[in-house]
Amino acid sequence: MVSSPRRPNAVGTPTHVSEPAFEFLLHAMIEQVEIQCLREYNKKMKMMKDRSSNDSDNNKDAQPGEKKGEGKGEDQNQEDDTKEKEEEVDEKDKQFEQELLKEEEHKQQILMNENIAAKMERMGFDVGFRLVERLAQSKSLVPPTAHTQTPSQTLLQLEAVKFICKEFWTEVFRKQIDKLQTNHRGVFVLKDGSFKWLERMPSNIEVARAMAIKILALPCGLIRGALSNLGIAAVVSCDFMDDGEKMNSCSFNVKIK
C-alpha cells in the first residue's frame, strides 16, 4: 500500500505559537509547578507545627504538679509571684518557638522557590535535548578545516555554542543571541538584550524579579539539554544585565565541565 504524499503547509500557516498564547502556556506551566511545590511545602510546615505542638505538650506534662495540702500556711503573695514568674517563662518560650517557626518558614519558602526553578530547569532540559537533535540533522558542527585534522575539543565546544546562539535560539525565540563572549577555557557568556519572555515584566519590583528567575530557569535548561545532546556537559546559570533596571536584558553563563 502506497502512502499518500505529505501535503505542504498552506500559505500563511504559522509555524510558531503566537507570543500571547505562549506566554499564557508558560505562566500556566509555572502555576502548575508552584501548586505542586506548594503542596509539598504545606505538608512539611504541617509536620513541623505538629512536632512543635507535641514538644510543648510534653514539656507541660513533664512539669511537676502541686500536691494536695502543699503550700498551706505559706504567704499568698509568694504564690502569686511564683505563678507570675512561671507565666513569664511560658510566654518567653512561646515567643522563642514562634521566632524559630518563622525563621524555618522563611527557609522553607526559599527552598520552595529553588525547587520550582529546579523543576522548570529540568523541563527545559528535556525540551532542549530533543529539539537540538532535530535541528542538528541538517547542519554539521565540525568546522571546515584546511587540513583533514581532527578538530580540538575547544573548537568543537565553540562551534556547539555558536550553534546554540544562532540556529537553536532562532528556532525558539526567532532571533539570535545578541553577543557571545568566551575566555576560550570552557566559559561562555550568551547575552540577550531583549529576551522575549520577559519583555512585559516590570522593572525594580521584587515579585516580578522572583517570577523572572523562575522563567529564566527554563531557557537555562534548554541550553544545558541542547549541549548535553551534543556531547557537552555544562552548568548553565543566568544573570540580569543593567543591574536589573531592564528586566528582559539578561545573560546566560555556560561553564563546560
Side-chain angles (χ1 to χ4, degrees):
M1 183 176 178
V2 180
S3 60
S4 59
R6 188 176 180 180
R7 295 180 58 187
N9 291 335
V11 177
T13 301
T15 58
H16 291 76
V17 179
S18 64
E19 291 184 11
F22 185 82
E23 288 182 3
F24 173 79
L25 292 172
L26 180 62
H27 284 277
M29 184 169 59
I30 293 176
E31 183 179 1
Q32 290 300 318
V33 174
E34 287 179 341
I35 291 173
Q36 183 180 358
C37 293
L38 185 61
R39 288 173 182 169
E40 297 174 0
Y41 167 78
N42 290 335
K43 186 177 180 180
K44 288 181 180 179
M45 294 309 302
K46 185 177 183 301
M47 292 175 61
M48 289 174 52
K49 289 179 180 178
D50 292 343
R51 192 182 307 148
S52 177
S53 61
N54 290 335
D55 292 341
S56 61
D57 292 340
N58 292 334
N59 291 334
K60 288 180 181 179
D61 295 338
Q63 291 178 356
E66 291 183 353
K67 296 180 181 179
K68 291 183 179 180
E70 186 177 329
K72 289 183 179 180
E74 294 182 357
D75 188 25
Q76 187 68 29
N77 292 331
Q78 289 182 345
E79 292 182 0
D80 293 340
D81 291 341
T82 303
K83 288 182 179 179
E84 288 180 0
K85 289 180 180 179
E86 290 177 354
E87 290 176 356
E88 289 179 359
V89 171
D90 292 340
E91 187 66 26
K92 288 180 180 180
D93 290 341
K94 288 181 181 179
Q95 291 179 357
F96 182 70
E97 289 178 359
Q98 290 177 355
E99 289 177 359
L100 288 178
L101 191 60
K102 287 181 180 179
E103 184 179 351
E104 191 62 31
E105 285 180 355
H106 180 66
K107 290 180 180 178
Q108 291 296 329
Q109 184 70 34
I110 294 174
L111 290 176
M112 185 183 73
N113 291 333
E114 292 178 353
N115 193 16
I116 292 172
K119 289 187 177 184
M120 294 295 295
E121 198 272 347
R122 286 195 296 269
M123 294 169 66
F125 178 91
D126 294 337
V127 175
F129 190 92
R130 289 177 288 178
L131 178 60
V132 79
E133 186 171 355
R134 177 172 63 84
L135 296 177
Q137 289 178 355
S138 58
K139 181 179 174 59
S140 175
L141 297 181
V142 179
T145 55
H147 305 284
T148 58
Q149 298 177 354
T150 303
S152 64
Q153 189 67 21
T154 303
L155 189 57
L156 288 175
Q157 293 173 357
L158 179 60
E159 290 298 320
V161 174
K162 285 182 179 179
F163 179 81
I164 299 296
C165 295
K166 295 179 180 179
E167 282 79 6
F168 185 84
W169 213 253
T170 301
E171 179 68 18
V172 179
F173 301 105
R174 296 189 236 180
K175 67 182 289 293
Q176 296 183 6
I177 283 289
D178 295 325
K179 190 176 183 181
L180 170 63
Q181 294 177 321
T182 179
N183 63 354
H184 299 286
R185 295 179 182 177
V187 177
F188 301 88
V189 180
L190 288 62
K191 295 185 177 181
D192 193 333
S194 56
F195 189 64
K196 286 185 176 294
W197 294 355
L198 301 181
E199 283 182 349
R200 302 185 187 183
M201 283 282 184
S203 302
N204 298 324
I205 299 178
E206 191 62 29
V207 177
R209 187 180 181 87
M211 177 59 72
I213 292 174
K214 297 174 187 176
I215 293 175
L216 287 173
L218 188 63
C220 286
L222 288 172
I223 296 172
R224 189 172 71 87
L227 290 174
S228 178
N229 198 338
L230 297 175
I232 300 173
V235 177
V236 184
S237 60
C238 60
D239 289 319
F240 294 103
M241 297 192 296
D242 302 329
D243 296 329
E245 294 180 1
K246 190 179 178 183
M247 191 69 72
N248 65 332
S249 181
C250 53
S251 64
F252 300 92
N253 308 313
V254 180
K255 185 175 181 181
I256 308 298
K257 291 183 180 179

